[in-house]
Amino acid sequence: MIYTTIINNQTISISDIPEMNYNEFIDLNTGFLTNSPEKHCVNYFGYPVSNQIRLICCIADDNTHQIYLSSCFVKSGDQLDSFTARNFNFEKFEREIHENFGVDYNDHPWLKPVRYAKNRFDPSQTIANYPFFSIESDELHEVGVGPIHAGIIEPGHFRFICNGEQILHLEIQLGYQHRGIEQQFLAKKKLLQRTTIAESIAGDTVVGHTTAFSHVWESLCGFQPSHDMEYARTLALELERMAVHTGDLSAVCTDIAYQLGSAVFGRLRTPIINFMQEWGGNRLSKGLIRPGRNQFPFTPELAQRLAGILDVYEPDFLEMNEQLFQLPSALSRFERTGVVSYEDVLSIGTVGMAARMSGLSRDIRQSHPFGLYPEMNHEPIIKHHGDVYSRVQIRKAEVKQSMQYIRNLIQNVPESSENEPVFQSPKPNSFTLSLVEGWRGEICHCAITDEQGELAHYKVKDPSFHNWLALALAVRNNEISDFPICNKSFNLSYSGHDL
């Protein structure tokens, strides 16, 4: 067999991932995606082995809940045919492999740097000389936004090419705060240090990324998390989803100058994150999720407190949405603004809300379920127009859905397992993959151990890695004044990208 299959959160021996020559490798993995919207690439990366680069490709099948793994050895300086020329899903993965290891592709259409890692293969590639796309014309002009933004937005640069007010092209350049997160997982040896790194990947997705890391570590150590641990993680994920979606509805209202919606949704986010502080001591949930233990057990008293918060939150949330979605001036800004078609989201491999907005069902809670989701019969919220209106509708509907999940969960609070975790050493020469559906979409963490069971490679993929290009496509042929609302309706992560 030229590939092997695993399921979410499964550990296998690295030797069980078949090796093949590059021609077989490219045929296999691009073939998986041909005419198969239920399959997509969840991770594709390289890591050094002696004087070679081992490439590992992970293709998820959303129908069978399986993940197909295959590998190939190449060398720096190799001239290879690109996966991207056959399927654009692989575009940014190959750019990163090129940037990190100097692997060249003959026919990649957009072979530019991705992150500017300190240990990148070619240090002469710098942000200062980034090769922006340009169009020569006396009738066109360029507009640059960032990397220093007003307010609290993280550093990223947006280069627009416009004809008057109309956007013809947007190129998004990131990498300004590359923190070496993946290298830090290897450099730090204590579990607490690594967990703290995981919860610092993206400040608005603390629960999502820390849950993925916890699942990776527990799988590597052969540890089975208890029911109350998975209960707390599932509950926290849905609370995180509620809080961020509510805050983003406020931000969208701000960008259309609807002050009432901005104020009310902003206020409604506060009791949700304040409850997270009551539960675990931090409004962004830092310190709440830990591998092998229930750090802050959820109690019946907390359940009663949360039920009261939701009872106050829900009528105000529903009333504010009724006002928003009946307001002609708001609908005129939402509808048919920032459209990305089904064909485009499928082509570029978007995940989460950025896929579901255009009719492409991608939701790990259903396709590769984890935690308590297997028993929840989760149904993804799907819209079909791919515009700002679809994205804000998904946020509204997912808040209501999460609220119902939370109400169901707190009806039956499990007893806490008080025992201290007993971890075996991580399995040597092993590979583990964890998928978690964060509020933005699919998070993927992969770990590889060496002969001593130490981490030899750790690979993180935030959903924004897939979805930034969708924003660039969304604004084409829109007016430049529509960019803020398009941007906020996605709310992608800079820090989650600049690992």
Side-chain angles (χ1 to χ4, degrees):
M1 180 178 288
I2 57 175
Y3 65 90
T4 191
T5 61
I6 62 170
I7 60 173
N8 194 9
N9 300 319
Q10 180 180 351
T11 294
I12 62 170
S13 171
I14 192 70
S15 62
D16 289 339
I17 303 178
E19 302 168 15
M20 62 192 78
N21 65 50
Y22 188 77
N23 289 335
E24 294 173 324
F25 189 57
I26 188 173
D27 288 345
L28 173 72
N29 289 293
T30 58
F32 276 137
L33 272 55
T34 302
N35 300 318
S36 299
E38 72 280 1
K39 298 186 183 72
H40 69 286
C41 181
V42 296
N43 230 328
Y44 176 34
F45 61 91
Y47 69 101
V49 179
S50 299
N51 62 343
Q52 298 186 92
I53 309 301
R54 188 176 191 179
L55 304 178
I56 294 182
C57 191
C58 315
I59 304 292
D61 187 326
D62 293 344
N63 285 349
T64 66
H65 313 307
Q66 293 182 316
I67 301 157
Y68 308 131
L69 304 179
S70 56
S71 71
C72 173
F73 281 92
V74 297
K75 292 184 177 181
S76 297
D78 279 355
Q79 295 283 333
L80 305 173
D81 292 337
S82 73
F83 284 35
T84 307
R86 303 189 191 186
N87 191 300
F88 208 73
N89 271 235
F90 298 98
E91 172 259 342
K92 195 171 285 185
F93 293 110
E94 288 191 319
R95 284 171 57 195
E96 185 181 30
I97 291 168
H98 168 72
E99 180 179 24
N100 288 349
F101 303 111
V103 175
D104 285 324
Y105 296 101
N106 301 314
D107 51 1
H108 192 289
W110 201 250
L111 203 56
K112 297 184 178 186
V114 175
R115 290 190 173 127
Y116 301 96
K118 184 176 181 180
N119 60 349
R120 61 191 178 275
F121 183 79
D122 182 2
S124 70
Q125 292 278 7
T126 65
I127 287 179
N129 60 24
Y130 181 86
F132 281 104
F133 179 75
S134 62
I135 303 175
E136 296 298 327
S137 172
D138 292 337
E139 298 179 355
L140 305 181
H141 65 281
E142 292 186 351
V143 178
V145 178
I148 305 303
H149 290 281
I152 59 172
I153 301 172
E154 298 170 281
H157 181 71
F158 300 82
R159 183 74 61 90
F160 300 86
I161 300 177
C162 298
N163 182 7
E165 292 295 306
Q166 182 187 30
I167 301 171
L168 301 182
H169 178 74
L170 166 62
E171 189 164 353
I172 301 169
Q173 176 202 18
L174 304 173
Y176 286 89
Q177 57 179 18
H178 189 285
R179 296 164 291 156
I181 286 285
E182 292 166 340
Q183 290 301 312
Q184 287 296 310
F185 276 110
L186 310 186
K188 304 299 183 183
K189 302 301 181 182
K190 294 181 179 179
L191 181 56
L192 179 58
Q193 291 176 316
R194 288 168 170 168
T195 309
T196 304
I197 292 167
E199 64 184 15
S200 303
I201 290 170
D204 56 17
T205 317
V206 171
V207 179
H209 277 290
T210 314
T211 297
F213 171 74
S214 297
H215 284 161
V216 164
W217 192 259
E218 288 161 358
S219 181
L220 280 173
C221 298
F223 181 91
Q224 183 63 42
S226 61
H227 177 73
D228 65 299
M229 290 166 54
E230 295 290 30
Y231 174 94
R233 294 168 186 176
T234 304
L235 181 63
L237 279 167
E238 295 305 316
L239 284 166
E240 185 169 74
R241 183 181 306 277
M242 276 189 66
V244 178
H245 280 346
T246 304
D248 283 349
L249 286 170
S250 172
V252 166
C253 288
T254 301
D255 281 335
I256 62 171
Y258 182 38
Q259 289 184 318
L260 179 62
S262 173
V264 172
F265 285 125
R267 174 183 66 80
L268 288 173
R269 170 181 173 267
T270 301
I272 304 300
I273 60 174
N274 282 353
F275 176 77
M276 300 308 291
Q277 184 165 15
E278 288 185 45
W279 179 9
N282 184 276
R283 298 207 305 169
L284 298 181
S285 307
K286 291 191 174 184
L288 180 65
I289 308 298
R290 290 290 181 262
R293 65 183 302 161
N294 196 349
Q295 179 89 331
F296 294 96
F298 194 82
T299 64
E301 292 74 22
L302 284 169
Q304 185 176 4
R305 170 74 174 135
L306 180 54
I309 290 171
L310 296 181
D311 287 343
V312 176
Y313 170 99
E314 184 171 13
D316 286 356
F317 180 81
L318 296 178
E319 181 181 359
M320 191 63 255
N321 272 285
E322 185 176 358
Q323 294 288 325
L324 175 63
F325 288 100
Q326 289 182 356
L327 189 66
S329 60
L331 295 178
S332 70
R333 296 295 308 279
F334 292 166
E335 293 175 335
R336 295 181 294 279
T337 300
V339 176
V340 189
S341 69
Y342 173 86
E343 290 74 20
D344 281 343
V345 299
L346 181 62
S347 170
I348 65 179
T350 61
V351 297
M353 188 181 68
R356 300 193 292 272
M357 68 182 185
S358 300
L360 181 59
S361 181
R362 286 194 177 152
D363 192 322
I364 298 302
R365 292 173 292 175
Q366 180 190 56
S367 58
H368 303 271
F370 58 96
L372 300 192
Y373 291 110
E375 58 199 62
M376 293 168 64
N377 297 317
H378 171 69
E379 290 291 334
I381 306 295
I382 307 294
K383 300 297 177 182
H384 298 277
H385 295 104
D387 55 3
V388 170
Y389 187 51
S390 290
R391 295 189 283 277
V392 293
Q393 280 187 308
I394 288 175
R395 292 184 187 279
K396 175 188 71 173
E398 287 197 350
V399 167
K400 293 167 65 176
Q401 185 182 58
S402 293
M403 193 157 31
Q404 187 57 53
Y405 287 160
I406 291 165
R407 288 192 185 277
N408 292 340
L409 285 167
I410 63 178
Q411 291 300 312
N412 187 17
V413 179
E415 292 186 9
S416 172
S417 54
E418 299 293 344
N419 295 332
E420 285 293 315
V422 179
F423 279 128
Q424 300 175 4
S425 298
K427 298 173 185 175
N429 296 318
S430 295
F431 173 91
T432 298
L433 180 148
S434 176
L435 296 172
V436 166
E437 185 72 16
W439 67 266
R440 264 192 197 95
E442 167 191 300
I443 295 165
C444 181
H445 286 212
C446 295
I448 297 171
T449 59
D450 61 18
E451 294 178 353
Q452 286 75 43
E454 286 289 334
L455 286 179
H457 191 72
Y458 200 88
K459 185 67 189 156
V460 177
K461 187 211 66 183
D462 186 84
S464 299
F465 188 78
H466 290 279
N467 293 345
W468 275 109
L469 184 54
L471 172 61
L473 296 179
V475 300
R476 286 187 179 180
N477 298 317
N478 286 250
E479 292 189 2
I480 196 165
S481 58
D482 287 325
F483 171 70
I485 189 175
C486 290
N487 189 20
K488 290 296 194 311
S489 67
F490 282 95
N491 189 13
L492 302 177
S493 177
Y494 301 74
S495 60
H497 180 278
D498 293 352
L499 299 168

PDB file of all heavy atoms in Angstrom, residues 200-224:
ATOM      1  N   SER A 200      -0.756  30.283  23.478  1.00  0.00           N
ATOM      2  CA  SER A 200      -0.323  31.601  23.010  1.00  0.00           C
ATOM      3  C   SER A 200      -0.262  31.685  21.489  1.00  0.00           C
ATOM      4  O   SER A 200       0.169  32.708  20.953  1.00  0.00           O
ATOM      5  CB  SER A 200       1.056  31.943  23.602  1.00  0.00           C
ATOM      6  OG  SER A 200       1.028  31.905  25.014  1.00  0.00           O
ATOM      7  N   ILE A 201      -0.670  30.642  20.793  1.00  0.00           N
ATOM      8  CA  ILE A 201      -0.609  30.650  19.322  1.00  0.00           C
ATOM      9  C   ILE A 201      -1.496  31.742  18.754  1.00  0.00           C
ATOM     10  O   ILE A 201      -1.088  32.518  17.888  1.00  0.00           O
ATOM     11  CB  ILE A 201      -0.988  29.264  18.764  1.00  0.00           C
ATOM     12  CG1 ILE A 201       0.122  28.250  19.094  1.00  0.00           C
ATOM     13  CG2 ILE A 201      -1.226  29.323  17.258  1.00  0.00           C
ATOM     14  CD1 ILE A 201      -0.247  26.812  18.807  1.00  0.00           C
ATOM     15  N   ALA A 202      -2.741  31.805  19.221  1.00  0.00           N
ATOM     16  CA  ALA A 202      -3.675  32.840  18.783  1.00  0.00           C
ATOM     17  C   ALA A 202      -4.532  33.214  19.981  1.00  0.00           C
ATOM     18  O   ALA A 202      -5.241  32.370  20.534  1.00  0.00           O
ATOM     19  CB  ALA A 202      -4.543  32.338  17.630  1.00  0.00           C
ATOM     20  N   GLY A 203      -4.487  34.471  20.378  1.00  0.00           N
ATOM     21  CA  GLY A 203      -5.122  34.900  21.614  1.00  0.00           C
ATOM     22  C   GLY A 203      -6.619  34.749  21.641  1.00  0.00           C
ATOM     23  O   GLY A 203      -7.218  34.701  22.713  1.00  0.00           O
ATOM     24  N   ASP A 204      -7.262  34.679  20.459  1.00  0.00           N
ATOM     25  CA  ASP A 204      -8.711  34.494  20.416  1.00  0.00           C
ATOM     26  C   ASP A 204      -9.109  33.035  20.240  1.00  0.00           C
ATOM     27  O   ASP A 204     -10.287  32.721  20.090  1.00  0.00           O
ATOM     28  CB  ASP A 204      -9.344  35.357  19.318  1.00  0.00           C
ATOM     29  CG  ASP A 204      -8.753  35.094  17.935  1.00  0.00           C
ATOM     30  OD1 ASP A 204      -8.092  34.055  17.741  1.00  0.00           O
ATOM     31  OD2 ASP A 204      -8.957  35.932  17.041  1.00  0.00           O
ATOM     32  N   THR A 205      -8.126  32.134  20.229  1.00  0.00           N
ATOM     33  CA  THR A 205      -8.414  30.711  20.016  1.00  0.00           C
ATOM     34  C   THR A 205      -7.625  29.883  21.021  1.00  0.00           C
ATOM     35  O   THR A 205      -7.035  28.849  20.689  1.00  0.00           O
ATOM     36  CB  THR A 205      -8.067  30.283  18.570  1.00  0.00           C
ATOM     37  OG1 THR A 205      -8.527  31.287  17.660  1.00  0.00           O
ATOM     38  CG2 THR A 205      -8.742  28.977  18.198  1.00  0.00           C
ATOM     39  N   VAL A 206      -7.589  30.348  22.260  1.00  0.00           N
ATOM     40  CA  VAL A 206      -6.812  29.666  23.300  1.00  0.00           C
ATOM     41  C   VAL A 206      -7.325  28.249  23.522  1.00  0.00           C
ATOM     42  O   VAL A 206      -6.552  27.287  23.574  1.00  0.00           O
ATOM     43  CB  VAL A 206      -6.871  30.473  24.614  1.00  0.00           C
ATOM     44  CG1 VAL A 206      -6.259  29.679  25.764  1.00  0.00           C
ATOM     45  CG2 VAL A 206      -6.155  31.805  24.456  1.00  0.00           C
ATOM     46  N   VAL A 207      -8.640  28.097  23.640  1.00  0.00           N
ATOM     47  CA  VAL A 207      -9.208  26.769  23.892  1.00  0.00           C
ATOM     48  C   VAL A 207      -8.949  25.844  22.706  1.00  0.00           C
ATOM     49  O   VAL A 207      -8.561  24.682  22.879  1.00  0.00           O
ATOM     50  CB  VAL A 207     -10.717  26.865  24.185  1.00  0.00           C
ATOM     51  CG1 VAL A 207     -11.301  25.467  24.419  1.00  0.00           C
ATOM     52  CG2 VAL A 207     -10.984  27.744  25.386  1.00  0.00           C
ATOM     53  N   GLY A 208      -9.142  26.345  21.501  1.00  0.00           N
ATOM     54  CA  GLY A 208      -8.969  25.513  20.314  1.00  0.00           C
ATOM     55  C   GLY A 208      -7.569  24.947  20.183  1.00  0.00           C
ATOM     56  O   GLY A 208      -7.372  23.742  20.022  1.00  0.00           O
ATOM     57  N   HIS A 209      -6.554  25.822  20.271  1.00  0.00           N
ATOM     58  CA  HIS A 209      -5.180  25.352  20.074  1.00  0.00           C
ATOM     59  C   HIS A 209      -4.689  24.525  21.263  1.00  0.00           C
ATOM     60  O   HIS A 209      -3.951  23.543  21.076  1.00  0.00           O
ATOM     61  CB  HIS A 209      -4.254  26.531  19.830  1.00  0.00           C
ATOM     62  CG  HIS A 209      -4.247  27.004  18.411  1.00  0.00           C
ATOM     63  ND1 HIS A 209      -3.691  26.271  17.385  1.00  0.00           N
ATOM     64  CD2 HIS A 209      -4.762  28.122  17.839  1.00  0.00           C
ATOM     65  CE1 HIS A 209      -3.831  26.930  16.244  1.00  0.00           C
ATOM     66  NE2 HIS A 209      -4.483  28.050  16.488  1.00  0.00           N
ATOM     67  N   THR A 210      -5.086  24.891  22.488  1.00  0.00           N
ATOM     68  CA  THR A 210      -4.626  24.122  23.636  1.00  0.00           C
ATOM     69  C   THR A 210      -5.284  22.755  23.681  1.00  0.00           C
ATOM     70  O   THR A 210      -4.654  21.770  24.101  1.00  0.00           O
ATOM     71  CB  THR A 210      -4.898  24.889  24.942  1.00  0.00           C
ATOM     72  OG1 THR A 210      -4.500  26.251  24.792  1.00  0.00           O
ATOM     73  CG2 THR A 210      -4.124  24.285  26.094  1.00  0.00           C
ATOM     74  N   THR A 211      -6.524  22.655  23.227  1.00  0.00           N
ATOM     75  CA  THR A 211      -7.172  21.343  23.124  1.00  0.00           C
ATOM     76  C   THR A 211      -6.453  20.469  22.113  1.00  0.00           C
ATOM     77  O   THR A 211      -6.218  19.271  22.357  1.00  0.00           O
ATOM     78  CB  THR A 211      -8.652  21.507  22.747  1.00  0.00           C
ATOM     79  OG1 THR A 211      -9.331  22.226  23.785  1.00  0.00           O
ATOM     80  CG2 THR A 211      -9.326  20.159  22.554  1.00  0.00           C
ATOM     81  N   ALA A 212      -6.070  21.035  20.966  1.00  0.00           N
ATOM     82  CA  ALA A 212      -5.342  20.254  19.962  1.00  0.00           C
ATOM     83  C   ALA A 212      -4.017  19.751  20.526  1.00  0.00           C
ATOM     84  O   ALA A 212      -3.656  18.578  20.355  1.00  0.00           O
ATOM     85  CB  ALA A 212      -5.113  21.097  18.708  1.00  0.00           C
ATOM     86  N   PHE A 213      -3.259  20.632  21.198  1.00  0.00           N
ATOM     87  CA  PHE A 213      -1.993  20.196  21.786  1.00  0.00           C
ATOM     88  C   PHE A 213      -2.222  19.114  22.833  1.00  0.00           C
ATOM     89  O   PHE A 213      -1.474  18.125  22.895  1.00  0.00           O
ATOM     90  CB  PHE A 213      -1.246  21.370  22.404  1.00  0.00           C
ATOM     91  CG  PHE A 213      -0.040  20.939  23.201  1.00  0.00           C
ATOM     92  CD1 PHE A 213       1.109  20.507  22.555  1.00  0.00           C
ATOM     93  CD2 PHE A 213      -0.070  20.922  24.583  1.00  0.00           C
ATOM     94  CE1 PHE A 213       2.219  20.072  23.273  1.00  0.00           C
ATOM     95  CE2 PHE A 213       1.028  20.499  25.318  1.00  0.00           C
ATOM     96  CZ  PHE A 213       2.183  20.070  24.661  1.00  0.00           C
ATOM     97  N   SER A 214      -3.231  19.289  23.682  1.00  0.00           N
ATOM     98  CA  SER A 214      -3.511  18.295  24.721  1.00  0.00           C
ATOM     99  C   SER A 214      -3.811  16.942  24.114  1.00  0.00           C
ATOM    100  O   SER A 214      -3.321  15.906  24.596  1.00  0.00           O
ATOM    101  CB  SER A 214      -4.686  18.761  25.592  1.00  0.00           C
ATOM    102  OG  SER A 214      -4.372  19.959  26.277  1.00  0.00           O
ATOM    103  N   HIS A 215      -4.601  16.919  23.057  1.00  0.00           N
ATOM    104  CA  HIS A 215      -4.917  15.644  22.403  1.00  0.00           C
ATOM    105  C   HIS A 215      -3.670  15.001  21.798  1.00  0.00           C
ATOM    106  O   HIS A 215      -3.504  13.778  21.850  1.00  0.00           O
ATOM    107  CB  HIS A 215      -5.974  15.861  21.327  1.00  0.00           C
ATOM    108  CG  HIS A 215      -7.355  16.055  21.876  1.00  0.00           C
ATOM    109  ND1 HIS A 215      -8.373  16.630  21.148  1.00  0.00           N
ATOM    110  CD2 HIS A 215      -7.901  15.745  23.081  1.00  0.00           C
ATOM    111  CE1 HIS A 215      -9.482  16.660  21.873  1.00  0.00           C
ATOM    112  NE2 HIS A 215      -9.209  16.135  23.054  1.00  0.00           N
ATOM    113  N   VAL A 216      -2.806  15.835  21.203  1.00  0.00           N
ATOM    114  CA  VAL A 216      -1.559  15.304  20.642  1.00  0.00           C
ATOM    115  C   VAL A 216      -0.720  14.657  21.742  1.00  0.00           C
ATOM    116  O   VAL A 216      -0.242  13.513  21.605  1.00  0.00           O
ATOM    117  CB  VAL A 216      -0.764  16.423  19.944  1.00  0.00           C
ATOM    118  CG1 VAL A 216       0.688  15.990  19.718  1.00  0.00           C
ATOM    119  CG2 VAL A 216      -1.392  16.779  18.609  1.00  0.00           C
ATOM    120  N   TRP A 217      -0.533  15.372  22.834  1.00  0.00           N
ATOM    121  CA  TRP A 217       0.345  14.869  23.890  1.00  0.00           C
ATOM    122  C   TRP A 217      -0.239  13.612  24.535  1.00  0.00           C
ATOM    123  O   TRP A 217       0.477  12.642  24.793  1.00  0.00           O
ATOM    124  CB  TRP A 217       0.589  15.953  24.930  1.00  0.00           C
ATOM    125  CG  TRP A 217       1.702  15.593  25.863  1.00  0.00           C
ATOM    126  CD1 TRP A 217       1.603  15.104  27.128  1.00  0.00           C
ATOM    127  CD2 TRP A 217       3.104  15.638  25.568  1.00  0.00           C
ATOM    128  NE1 TRP A 217       2.844  14.852  27.653  1.00  0.00           N
ATOM    129  CE2 TRP A 217       3.790  15.180  26.717  1.00  0.00           C
ATOM    130  CE3 TRP A 217       3.838  16.040  24.450  1.00  0.00           C
ATOM    131  CZ2 TRP A 217       5.177  15.107  26.766  1.00  0.00           C
ATOM    132  CZ3 TRP A 217       5.217  15.966  24.508  1.00  0.00           C
ATOM    133  CH2 TRP A 217       5.871  15.508  25.654  1.00  0.00           C
ATOM    134  N   GLU A 218      -1.533  13.631  24.810  1.00  0.00           N
ATOM    135  CA  GLU A 218      -2.169  12.463  25.423  1.00  0.00           C
ATOM    136  C   GLU A 218      -2.088  11.246  24.514  1.00  0.00           C
ATOM    137  O   GLU A 218      -1.840  10.122  24.978  1.00  0.00           O
ATOM    138  CB  GLU A 218      -3.631  12.801  25.756  1.00  0.00           C
ATOM    139  CG  GLU A 218      -3.749  13.764  26.926  1.00  0.00           C
ATOM    140  CD  GLU A 218      -5.083  14.477  27.004  1.00  0.00           C
ATOM    141  OE1 GLU A 218      -5.935  14.258  26.111  1.00  0.00           O
ATOM    142  OE2 GLU A 218      -5.294  15.259  27.952  1.00  0.00           O
ATOM    143  N   SER A 219      -2.260  11.460  23.214  1.00  0.00           N
ATOM    144  CA  SER A 219      -2.154  10.337  22.280  1.00  0.00           C
ATOM    145  C   SER A 219      -0.734   9.792  22.232  1.00  0.00           C
ATOM    146  O   SER A 219      -0.521   8.574  22.239  1.00  0.00           O
ATOM    147  CB  SER A 219      -2.611  10.778  20.888  1.00  0.00           C
ATOM    148  OG  SER A 219      -2.556   9.716  19.963  1.00  0.00           O
ATOM    149  N   LEU A 220       0.255  10.686  22.195  1.00  0.00           N
ATOM    150  CA  LEU A 220       1.655  10.247  22.189  1.00  0.00           C
ATOM    151  C   LEU A 220       2.000   9.423  23.422  1.00  0.00           C
ATOM    152  O   LEU A 220       2.808   8.496  23.360  1.00  0.00           O
ATOM    153  CB  LEU A 220       2.587  11.458  22.116  1.00  0.00           C
ATOM    154  CG  LEU A 220       2.832  12.114  20.763  1.00  0.00           C
ATOM    155  CD1 LEU A 220       3.640  13.380  20.929  1.00  0.00           C
ATOM    156  CD2 LEU A 220       3.533  11.149  19.802  1.00  0.00           C
ATOM    157  N   CYS A 221       1.389   9.766  24.549  1.00  0.00           N
ATOM    158  CA  CYS A 221       1.706   9.098  25.825  1.00  0.00           C
ATOM    159  C   CYS A 221       0.762   7.945  26.140  1.00  0.00           C
ATOM    160  O   CYS A 221       0.857   7.346  27.229  1.00  0.00           O
ATOM    161  CB  CYS A 221       1.670  10.112  26.964  1.00  0.00           C
ATOM    162  SG  CYS A 221       2.887  11.434  26.806  1.00  0.00           S
ATOM    163  N   GLY A 222      -0.153   7.641  25.228  1.00  0.00           N
ATOM    164  CA  GLY A 222      -1.088   6.546  25.476  1.00  0.00           C
ATOM    165  C   GLY A 222      -2.057   6.835  26.605  1.00  0.00           C
ATOM    166  O   GLY A 222      -2.527   5.921  27.288  1.00  0.00           O
ATOM    167  N   PHE A 223      -2.364   8.112  26.819  1.00  0.00           N
ATOM    168  CA  PHE A 223      -3.238   8.525  27.917  1.00  0.00           C
ATOM    169  C   PHE A 223      -4.655   8.745  27.393  1.00  0.00           C
ATOM    170  O   PHE A 223      -4.848   9.454  26.402  1.00  0.00           O
ATOM    171  CB  PHE A 223      -2.708   9.810  28.551  1.00  0.00           C
ATOM    172  CG  PHE A 223      -3.526  10.319  29.713  1.00  0.00           C
ATOM    173  CD1 PHE A 223      -3.226   9.920  31.007  1.00  0.00           C
ATOM    174  CD2 PHE A 223      -4.584  11.189  29.511  1.00  0.00           C
ATOM    175  CE1 PHE A 223      -3.963  10.391  32.080  1.00  0.00           C
ATOM    176  CE2 PHE A 223      -5.331  11.668  30.574  1.00  0.00           C
ATOM    177  CZ  PHE A 223      -5.022  11.265  31.863  1.00  0.00           C
ATOM    178  N   GLN A 224      -5.637   8.172  28.043  1.00  0.00           N
ATOM    179  CA  GLN A 224      -7.026   8.341  27.648  1.00  0.00           C
ATOM    180  C   GLN A 224      -7.680   9.404  28.524  1.00  0.00           C
ATOM    181  O   GLN A 224      -7.856   9.205  29.723  1.00  0.00           O
ATOM    182  CB  GLN A 224      -7.794   7.010  27.792  1.00  0.00           C
ATOM    183  CG  GLN A 224      -9.243   7.075  27.327  1.00  0.00           C
ATOM    184  CD  GLN A 224      -9.369   7.381  25.847  1.00  0.00           C
ATOM    185  OE1 GLN A 224      -8.626   6.855  25.020  1.00  0.00           O
ATOM    186  NE2 GLN A 224     -10.298   8.247  25.507  1.00  0.00           N
TER     187      GLN A 224
END
